[in-house]
Amino acid sequence: MLRRIFRRPRAIGASRLGGAGALVALLPLLATPALAAQSAQDDPYGNWTGRLVTDRGSCPDQTDSVLQIQSDRLVFSPGTGALTLRGRPDADHKRFHAQLKLTDASRRPLPMVFEGHPDGNTIAGVFGTPTCRAHIVMTRTASHPWSNLIGR
């Protein structure tokens, strides 16, 4: 006679204690204090997002722009995310400058520039091209504590 070797399936996180076991397992994560917001000048590293607000011309203001700051480089992707402007942060974190120089179909220069600075817990800046001028206020994106391990 065959004996049944499989147990009845349980819900994910269920244990002999019922849902209490799952709650006990999550307590260390729930009890972790939230990180205090640091000023953009004291700790600018990480990802920042915001939406461009067009001041003049036609700008990519329909979707969020992203600024990524690392110790040795910074990258700004305006609105569409199709182009990336690159630069290096200055040593005292008072200015963030990134640019991309392209040429148009008539072989004329087509510069794109982002210029930002810390403003409390945000980074304020301007984005410009020959056909666009916009301002932006960027806030730090919330990231998972393990996000720095992803992609390594």
Side-chain angles (χ1 to χ4, degrees):
M1 183 165 149
L2 292 176
R3 186 171 174 199
R4 188 172 176 181
I5 59 173
F6 297 103
R7 292 183 184 208
R8 187 168 32 145
R10 294 181 186 226
I12 295 174
S15 70
R16 292 186 193 275
L17 298 175
L23 182 59
V24 170
L26 289 176
L27 277 178
L29 295 175
L30 297 174
T32 304
L35 295 175
Q38 294 184 345
S39 78
Q41 186 169 353
D42 294 339
D43 180 21
Y45 304 121
N47 295 326
W48 301 79
T49 60
R51 180 107 9 133
L52 289 169
V53 177
T54 301
D55 297 323
R56 179 182 56 82
S58 176
C59 301
D61 57 6
Q62 300 301 311
T63 58
D64 285 346
S65 298
V66 177
L67 174 66
Q68 183 182 58
I69 302 175
Q70 297 177 352
S71 61
D72 60 342
R73 71 183 182 110
L74 63 95
V75 176
F76 178 76
S77 296
T80 61
L83 300 171
T84 55
L85 290 67
R86 299 183 186 278
R88 295 192 179 280
D90 63 351
D92 58 0
H93 306 177
K94 291 185 179 178
R95 186 179 82 103
F96 305 106
H97 175 85
Q99 65 184 17
L100 175 63
K101 294 180 184 176
L102 300 173
T103 54
D104 66 11
S106 303
R107 297 182 189 235
R108 290 180 296 203
L110 180 62
M112 298 180 184
V113 176
F114 169 78
E115 189 75 34
H117 63 276
D119 185 13
N121 293 335
T122 65
I123 293 179
V126 292
F127 170 72
T129 71
T131 61
C132 158
R133 179 169 172 83
H135 65 276
I136 189 169
V137 175
M138 306 182 90
T139 57
R140 190 182 309 266
T141 59
S143 61
H144 192 279
W146 300 324
S147 62
N148 62 343
L149 300 176
I150 297 171
R152 287 190 181 193

Coordinates of all heavy atoms in Angstrom, one line a residue, residues 72-131:
D72 N 32.2 59.8 -8.5 CA 33.1 60.2 -9.6 C 32.3 60.6 -10.9 O 33.0 61.0 -11.9 CB 34.1 59.1 -9.9 CG 33.4 57.8 -10.3 OD1 32.2 57.6 -10.0 OD2 34.0 56.9 -10.9
R73 N 31.0 60.5 -10.9 CA 30.3 60.8 -12.1 C 28.8 61.2 -11.8 O 28.3 60.8 -10.7 CB 30.3 59.7 -13.1 CG 29.5 58.5 -12.8 CD 29.7 57.4 -13.8 NE 28.9 56.3 -13.4 CZ 27.8 55.9 -14.1 NH1 27.4 56.5 -15.2 NH2 27.1 54.9 -13.7
L74 N 28.2 61.9 -12.7 CA 26.7 62.1 -12.6 C 26.1 62.0 -14.0 O 26.8 62.2 -15.0 CB 26.4 63.4 -11.9 CG 26.8 64.7 -12.6 CD1 25.7 65.3 -13.4 CD2 27.1 65.7 -11.5
V75 N 24.9 61.5 -14.0 CA 24.2 61.3 -15.2 C 22.8 61.9 -15.1 O 22.1 61.7 -14.1 CB 24.0 59.8 -15.6 CG1 23.2 59.6 -16.8 CG2 25.4 59.2 -15.7
F76 N 22.4 62.7 -16.1 CA 21.0 63.3 -16.1 C 20.3 62.9 -17.3 O 20.9 63.0 -18.4 CB 21.1 64.9 -16.1 CG 19.7 65.5 -16.1 CD1 18.9 65.5 -15.0 CD2 19.3 66.1 -17.3 CE1 17.7 66.1 -15.0 CE2 18.0 66.7 -17.3 CZ 17.2 66.7 -16.2
S77 N 19.1 62.3 -17.2 CA 18.3 61.8 -18.3 C 17.0 62.6 -18.3 O 16.2 62.4 -17.4 CB 18.0 60.3 -18.2 OG 19.2 59.6 -18.3
P78 N 16.9 63.6 -19.2 CA 15.7 64.4 -19.3 C 14.5 63.6 -19.8 O 14.6 62.7 -20.6 CB 16.0 65.5 -20.2 CG 17.1 65.0 -21.1 CD 17.8 64.0 -20.2
G79 N 13.3 63.9 -19.2 CA 12.0 63.4 -19.6 C 11.9 62.0 -20.3 O 11.5 61.1 -19.6
T80 N 12.3 62.0 -21.5 CA 12.1 60.7 -22.3 C 13.1 59.6 -21.9 O 12.8 58.5 -22.1 CB 12.3 61.0 -23.8 OG1 13.6 61.5 -24.0 CG2 11.3 62.0 -24.3
G81 N 14.2 60.0 -21.3 CA 15.2 59.0 -21.0 C 16.0 58.5 -22.1 O 16.8 57.6 -22.0
A82 N 15.7 59.0 -23.3 CA 16.4 58.5 -24.5 C 17.9 59.0 -24.6 O 18.7 58.4 -25.2 CB 15.7 58.9 -25.8
L83 N 18.1 60.2 -24.0 CA 19.5 60.8 -24.0 C 20.0 60.9 -22.6 O 19.2 61.1 -21.7 CB 19.4 62.2 -24.7 CG 18.9 62.2 -26.1 CD1 18.7 63.6 -26.6 CD2 19.9 61.5 -27.0
T84 N 21.3 60.9 -22.4 CA 21.9 61.0 -21.1 C 23.0 62.1 -21.2 O 23.9 62.1 -22.1 CB 22.5 59.7 -20.6 OG1 23.4 59.2 -21.5 CG2 21.4 58.7 -20.3
L85 N 22.9 63.0 -20.3 CA 23.9 64.1 -20.2 C 24.9 63.6 -19.1 O 24.4 63.1 -18.0 CB 23.3 65.4 -19.8 CG 22.5 66.1 -20.9 CD1 21.2 65.4 -21.2 CD2 22.2 67.5 -20.4
R86 N 26.2 63.8 -19.2 CA 27.1 63.3 -18.3 C 28.0 64.4 -17.7 O 28.3 65.4 -18.4 CB 28.0 62.2 -19.0 CG 27.2 61.1 -19.4 CD 28.1 60.0 -20.0 NE 27.3 58.9 -20.6 CZ 26.8 57.9 -19.9 NH1 27.0 57.8 -18.7 NH2 26.0 57.0 -20.5
G87 N 28.5 64.2 -16.5 CA 29.4 65.2 -15.9 C 30.0 64.6 -14.7 O 29.9 63.4 -14.4
R88 N 30.7 65.4 -13.9 CA 31.4 65.0 -12.7 C 30.9 66.0 -11.6 O 30.9 67.2 -11.8 CB 32.9 65.1 -12.8 CG 33.4 64.1 -13.8 CD 35.0 64.0 -13.7 NE 35.5 63.1 -14.6 CZ 35.5 61.7 -14.4 NH1 35.0 61.2 -13.3 NH2 36.0 60.9 -15.3
P89 N 30.6 65.5 -10.4 CA 30.2 66.4 -9.3 C 31.5 67.1 -8.8 O 32.6 66.5 -8.8 CB 29.7 65.4 -8.2 CG 30.2 64.1 -8.6 CD 30.5 64.1 -10.0
D90 N 31.3 68.3 -8.3 CA 32.4 69.1 -7.8 C 32.6 68.6 -6.4 O 31.8 67.9 -5.7 CB 32.2 70.6 -7.8 CG 31.0 71.0 -7.0 OD1 30.2 70.2 -6.5 OD2 30.9 72.3 -6.8
A91 N 33.8 68.8 -5.8 CA 34.2 68.3 -4.5 C 33.4 68.7 -3.4 O 33.1 67.9 -2.4 CB 35.7 68.7 -4.3
D92 N 32.9 69.9 -3.4 CA 32.1 70.4 -2.2 C 30.5 70.3 -2.4 O 29.8 70.7 -1.6 CB 32.4 71.8 -1.9 CG 32.2 72.8 -3.0 OD1 31.8 72.4 -4.1 OD2 32.5 74.0 -2.9
H93 N 30.1 69.6 -3.6 CA 28.7 69.3 -3.8 C 27.8 70.5 -3.9 O 26.7 70.5 -3.5 CB 28.2 68.3 -2.8 CG 29.0 67.1 -2.7 ND1 28.7 66.1 -1.8 CD2 30.1 66.7 -3.3 CE1 29.6 65.1 -1.9 NE2 30.4 65.5 -2.8
K94 N 28.4 71.7 -4.3 CA 27.6 72.9 -4.5 C 27.0 73.1 -5.9 O 26.2 73.9 -6.1 CB 28.4 74.1 -4.1 CG 28.7 74.1 -2.6 CD 29.4 75.4 -2.2 CE 29.7 75.4 -0.7 NZ 30.4 76.5 -0.3
R95 N 27.5 72.3 -6.8 CA 27.1 72.4 -8.2 C 27.1 71.1 -8.9 O 28.1 70.3 -8.7 CB 28.0 73.4 -8.9 CG 27.6 73.8 -10.3 CD 28.6 74.8 -10.8 NE 29.8 74.1 -11.3 CZ 30.0 73.9 -12.6 NH1 29.2 74.4 -13.5 NH2 31.1 73.3 -13.0
F96 N 26.1 70.8 -9.7 CA 26.0 69.6 -10.5 C 25.8 70.0 -11.9 O 24.8 70.6 -12.3 CB 24.9 68.7 -10.0 CG 25.0 68.4 -8.5 CD1 24.1 69.0 -7.6 CD2 25.9 67.5 -8.1 CE1 24.2 68.7 -6.3 CE2 26.0 67.3 -6.7 CZ 25.1 67.9 -5.8
H97 N 26.8 69.7 -12.8 CA 26.8 70.1 -14.2 C 26.9 68.9 -15.1 O 27.8 68.1 -14.9 CB 27.9 71.1 -14.5 CG 28.0 71.5 -15.9 ND1 27.3 72.5 -16.5 CD2 28.8 71.0 -16.9 CE1 27.6 72.6 -17.8 NE2 28.5 71.7 -18.1
A98 N 26.0 68.7 -16.0 CA 26.1 67.6 -17.0 C 25.8 68.2 -18.4 O 24.9 69.1 -18.5 CB 25.2 66.5 -16.6
Q99 N 26.4 67.6 -19.4 CA 26.1 68.1 -20.7 C 26.2 67.0 -21.8 O 26.9 66.0 -21.5 CB 27.0 69.3 -21.1 CG 28.5 68.9 -21.2 CD 29.3 70.1 -21.5 OE1 28.9 71.2 -21.3 NE2 30.6 69.9 -21.9
L100 N 25.6 67.3 -22.9 CA 25.7 66.4 -24.1 C 25.8 67.3 -25.3 O 25.0 68.1 -25.5 CB 24.5 65.4 -24.2 CG 24.4 64.5 -25.4 CD1 25.6 63.5 -25.4 CD2 23.1 63.8 -25.4
K101 N 26.8 67.0 -26.1 CA 26.9 67.8 -27.4 C 26.7 67.0 -28.6 O 27.4 66.0 -28.8 CB 28.3 68.4 -27.5 CG 28.7 69.4 -26.4 CD 30.1 69.9 -26.5 CE 30.4 70.9 -25.4 NZ 31.8 71.3 -25.4
L102 N 25.6 67.3 -29.3 CA 25.2 66.6 -30.5 C 25.3 67.6 -31.7 O 25.5 68.8 -31.5 CB 23.8 66.0 -30.4 CG 23.5 65.0 -29.3 CD1 22.0 64.7 -29.2 CD2 24.3 63.8 -29.5
T103 N 25.1 67.1 -32.9 CA 24.9 67.9 -34.0 C 23.6 67.6 -34.7 O 23.2 66.5 -34.7 CB 26.1 67.7 -35.1 OG1 26.1 66.4 -35.4 CG2 27.4 68.2 -34.5
D104 N 22.9 68.6 -35.2 CA 21.6 68.4 -35.8 C 21.8 68.0 -37.3 O 23.0 67.8 -37.7 CB 20.7 69.6 -35.7 CG 21.2 70.9 -36.5 OD1 22.2 70.7 -37.3 OD2 20.7 71.9 -36.3
A105 N 20.7 67.8 -38.0 CA 20.8 67.4 -39.4 C 21.6 68.3 -40.3 O 22.2 67.9 -41.3 CB 19.4 67.2 -40.0
S106 N 21.6 69.6 -40.0 CA 22.4 70.6 -40.7 C 23.8 70.7 -40.2 O 24.5 71.7 -40.6 CB 21.7 71.9 -40.7 OG 20.4 71.8 -41.1
R107 N 24.2 69.8 -39.4 CA 25.6 69.8 -38.8 C 25.9 71.0 -37.9 O 27.0 71.4 -37.7 CB 26.6 69.7 -39.9 CG 26.5 68.4 -40.6 CD 27.6 68.3 -41.7 NE 27.4 67.1 -42.5 CZ 28.2 66.2 -42.7 NH1 29.4 66.2 -42.1 NH2 27.9 65.2 -43.5
R108 N 24.8 71.6 -37.4 CA 25.0 72.7 -36.4 C 25.1 72.0 -35.0 O 24.5 71.0 -34.7 CB 23.8 73.7 -36.4 CG 23.8 74.5 -37.7 CD 22.7 75.4 -37.7 NE 21.5 74.6 -37.7 CZ 20.3 75.0 -38.1 NH1 20.1 76.2 -38.4 NH2 19.2 74.1 -38.1
P109 N 25.8 72.7 -34.1 CA 25.9 72.1 -32.7 C 24.6 72.1 -32.0 O 23.8 73.1 -32.2 CB 26.9 73.0 -32.0 CG 27.1 74.2 -32.9 CD 26.6 73.9 -34.3
L110 N 24.3 71.1 -31.3 CA 23.1 71.0 -30.5 C 23.4 70.6 -29.1 O 23.4 69.4 -28.7 CB 22.2 69.9 -31.2 CG 20.8 69.7 -30.5 CD1 19.9 70.9 -30.5 CD2 20.1 68.5 -31.2
P111 N 23.8 71.6 -28.3 CA 24.2 71.3 -26.9 C 23.0 71.1 -26.0 O 22.0 71.8 -26.2 CB 25.0 72.5 -26.5 CG 24.4 73.6 -27.3 CD 24.0 73.0 -28.6
M112 N 23.1 70.2 -25.0 CA 22.1 70.0 -24.0 C 22.8 70.1 -22.7 O 23.9 69.5 -22.5 CB 21.5 68.7 -24.1 CG 20.8 68.5 -25.4 SD 20.0 66.8 -25.5 CE 19.4 66.9 -27.1
V113 N 22.3 70.9 -21.8 CA 23.0 71.2 -20.5 C 22.0 71.1 -19.3 O 20.9 71.6 -19.4 CB 23.6 72.6 -20.5 CG1 24.3 73.0 -19.2 CG2 24.6 72.8 -21.7
F114 N 22.5 70.5 -18.3 CA 21.8 70.5 -17.0 C 22.7 71.1 -16.0 O 23.9 70.8 -15.9 CB 21.4 69.1 -16.5 CG 21.0 69.0 -15.1 CD1 19.7 69.4 -14.8 CD2 21.8 68.6 -14.1 CE1 19.2 69.4 -13.5 CE2 21.4 68.6 -12.7 CZ 20.1 69.0 -12.4
E115 N 22.2 72.1 -15.2 CA 22.9 72.8 -14.2 C 22.0 72.7 -12.9 O 20.9 73.2 -12.9 CB 23.2 74.2 -14.6 CG 24.1 74.9 -13.7 CD 25.6 74.5 -13.9 OE1 26.0 74.2 -15.0 OE2 26.3 74.5 -12.9
G116 N 22.6 72.1 -11.8 CA 21.8 71.9 -10.6 C 22.6 72.3 -9.4 O 23.8 72.5 -9.4
H117 N 21.9 72.5 -8.3 CA 22.5 72.8 -7.0 C 21.6 72.3 -5.9 O 20.4 72.2 -6.1 CB 22.7 74.3 -6.9 CG 21.4 75.1 -6.9 ND1 20.8 75.5 -8.0 CD2 20.7 75.5 -5.8 CE1 19.7 76.1 -7.7 NE2 19.6 76.2 -6.4
P118 N 22.2 72.0 -4.7 CA 21.4 71.5 -3.6 C 20.6 72.6 -3.0 O 21.0 73.8 -3.0 CB 22.5 71.0 -2.6 CG 23.8 71.5 -3.1 CD 23.6 72.0 -4.5
D119 N 19.4 72.3 -2.7 CA 18.4 73.2 -2.1 C 17.7 72.5 -0.9 O 16.6 71.9 -1.2 CB 17.5 73.7 -3.1 CG 16.6 74.8 -2.6 OD1 16.8 75.4 -1.5 OD2 15.6 75.2 -3.3
G120 N 18.3 72.5 0.2 CA 17.7 71.7 1.3 C 17.8 70.2 1.1 O 18.9 69.7 0.8
N121 N 16.7 69.5 1.1 CA 16.6 68.1 0.8 C 16.3 67.8 -0.7 O 16.0 66.7 -1.0 CB 15.6 67.4 1.7 CG 15.9 67.4 3.1 OD1 17.1 67.5 3.5 ND2 14.9 67.4 4.0
T122 N 16.4 68.8 -1.5 CA 16.1 68.6 -2.9 C 17.3 69.1 -3.8 O 18.2 69.8 -3.2 CB 14.9 69.4 -3.4 OG1 15.1 70.8 -3.2 CG2 13.7 69.0 -2.6
I123 N 17.3 68.8 -5.1 CA 18.2 69.4 -6.0 C 17.4 70.2 -7.0 O 16.5 69.7 -7.7 CB 19.1 68.3 -6.7 CG1 20.0 67.7 -5.7 CG2 19.9 69.0 -7.8 CD1 20.9 66.6 -6.2
A124 N 17.7 71.5 -7.1 CA 17.0 72.4 -8.0 C 17.9 72.6 -9.2 O 19.2 72.7 -9.0 CB 16.7 73.7 -7.3
G125 N 17.4 72.8 -10.4 CA 18.2 73.0 -11.5 C 17.5 73.5 -12.7 O 16.3 73.7 -12.7
V126 N 18.2 73.7 -13.8 CA 17.7 74.1 -15.1 C 18.2 73.2 -16.1 O 19.3 72.6 -16.0 CB 18.0 75.6 -15.4 CG1 17.3 76.5 -14.5 CG2 19.5 75.8 -15.4
F127 N 17.4 73.0 -17.2 CA 17.8 72.1 -18.3 C 17.6 73.0 -19.5 O 16.6 73.7 -19.6 CB 16.9 70.9 -18.4 CG 17.1 70.1 -19.7 CD1 18.3 69.4 -19.9 CD2 16.1 70.1 -20.6 CE1 18.4 68.7 -21.1 CE2 16.2 69.4 -21.8 CZ 17.4 68.7 -22.0
G128 N 18.6 73.0 -20.5 CA 18.4 73.8 -21.7 C 19.0 73.2 -22.9 O 20.0 72.4 -22.8
T129 N 18.4 73.5 -24.0 CA 18.8 73.1 -25.4 C 18.6 74.4 -26.2 O 17.9 75.3 -25.7 CB 18.1 71.9 -26.0 OG1 16.8 72.3 -26.3 CG2 18.1 70.7 -25.0
P130 N 19.0 74.4 -27.5 CA 18.6 75.6 -28.3 C 17.1 75.8 -28.4 O 16.7 76.9 -28.7 CB 19.3 75.3 -29.6 CG 20.4 74.4 -29.3 CD 19.9 73.6 -28.1
T131 N 16.3 74.8 -28.2 CA 14.8 74.9 -28.4 C 14.1 74.7 -27.1 O 12.8 74.7 -27.1 CB 14.3 73.9 -29.4 OG1 14.6 72.6 -29.0 CG2 15.0 74.1 -30.8

